[in-house]
Amino acid sequence: MKGLKFCTLVLSAGMLLSSCGGNMNNTGKGSLIGAGGGAALGTLIGTLASNNKGKGAGIGAAVGVAVGAGVGALIGKKMDKAKAAAQQVENAQVESVTDANGLQAVKVTFDSGILFNTSSSALSSNATASLAKFASTVLNVNKDMDVAIKGYTDNQGWKNSTAAQSVQKNMDLSLQRANSVSNYLKQCGVSSTQITSVEGLGEADPVADNSTAAGREQNRRVEVYLYASEKMIQEAQAQAGN
């Protein structure tokens, strides 16, 4: 019986998620996730999101509560506005993702080739202009959203280094670049408490084929995630309950 219930739940979740067409905004998606919700479905969606590497995987600490339709819609509406603002930032690639609570989040990707010179973690002038606008028009007007920053590289080796040494050097460089982005955003007024994590993941989670120059360029990137803080979720729950 438990197996049947679980299969039914999985099927329902699949139908629910697949019904979210490309034209549906985050408000609609959030409401739909909440309406199908309850603790069990919320847990399942969170698990699926955590397994979806590179698409917001593991972003946010699960709050361990059911997400209702009203909460999902309220947070989705805010994420829609943040996404629209981020799309106005030059050199930013913006998409909607799902956080660990099954709620809508925003992923902003910056190409490392634009942010940095080869093998460097010093920000270029183009990078500082884009990041300054990102801070002022997105992060500083959405202080109730938490931020996670992840740096990545391609899988190319370093001169005069072993394979293992190259992997470590790529890991170190990705962290240095993620920290450069984090530190500059703080200089632009973003609170250090809003940036909840800064990671360097090196060659992990490639988004393109490392065997081609175009693919390697896509893999060299810094990703910035905006997701609902626990406070934001609590406020949405209180608002939805009124």
Side-chain angles (χ1 to χ4, degrees):
M1 179 63 71
K2 290 182 179 179
L4 178 59
K5 289 181 178 179
F6 181 76
C7 289
T8 302
L9 179 58
V10 171
L11 179 59
S12 298
M15 292 174 65
L16 181 148
L17 293 174
S18 64
S19 67
C20 297
N23 293 328
M24 180 178 288
N25 63 17
N26 292 341
T27 304
K29 291 178 184 177
S31 179
L32 186 57
I33 288 173
L41 184 57
T43 299
L44 175 62
I45 293 174
T47 300
L48 292 174
S50 295
N51 290 331
N52 189 10
K53 292 184 180 297
K55 296 295 184 181
I59 299 301
V63 296
V65 297
V67 178
V71 172
L74 288 169
I75 290 176
K77 185 176 182 180
K78 290 186 176 182
M79 289 298 169
D80 278 335
K81 290 182 179 180
K83 179 181 177 181
Q87 287 173 328
Q88 301 305 309
V89 177
E90 188 176 3
N91 302 320
Q93 300 174 31
V94 187
E95 60 184 297
S96 296
V97 294
T98 305
D99 71 9
N101 296 301
L103 294 168
Q104 294 302 310
V106 177
K107 173 183 174 182
V108 183
T109 302
F110 293 97
D111 184 336
S112 287
I114 295 173
L115 294 179
F116 311 100
N117 292 323
T118 302
S119 302
S120 172
S121 60
L123 291 167
S124 68
S125 58
N126 285 338
T128 56
S130 294
L131 291 175
K133 183 174 181 180
F134 180 58
S136 64
T137 63
V138 182
L139 301 186
N140 288 337
V141 295
N142 291 287
K143 293 183 179 295
D144 56 351
M145 294 182 187
D146 282 344
V147 176
I149 301 174
K150 297 177 181 287
Y152 296 91
T153 67
D154 59 28
N155 69 347
Q156 295 301 287
W158 288 64
K159 187 176 181 180
N160 299 323
S161 299
T162 66
Q165 289 171 335
S166 290
V167 168
Q168 186 59 53
K169 287 181 178 181
N170 282 333
M171 184 75 73
D172 294 342
L173 178 61
S174 67
L175 178 57
Q176 291 164 6
R177 288 177 166 180
N179 276 321
S180 289
V181 171
S182 174
N183 291 336
Y184 188 75
L185 290 175
K186 291 175 187 177
Q187 291 179 33
C188 295
V190 178
S191 169
S192 58
T193 58
Q194 187 177 8
I195 300 177
T196 60
S197 67
V198 181
E199 297 179 272
L201 298 172
E203 303 172 11
D205 301 331
V207 295
D209 186 355
N210 269 313
S211 67
T212 68
R216 291 192 295 273
E217 182 179 357
Q218 292 181 59
N219 290 331
R220 297 189 295 268
R221 67 199 190 277
V222 174
E223 297 174 350
V224 182
Y225 293 86
L226 287 76
Y227 60 94
S229 65
E230 187 169 354
K231 179 182 178 182
M232 183 177 177
I233 294 173
Q234 292 172 346
E235 290 176 348
Q237 288 172 328
Q239 187 174 349
N242 293 336

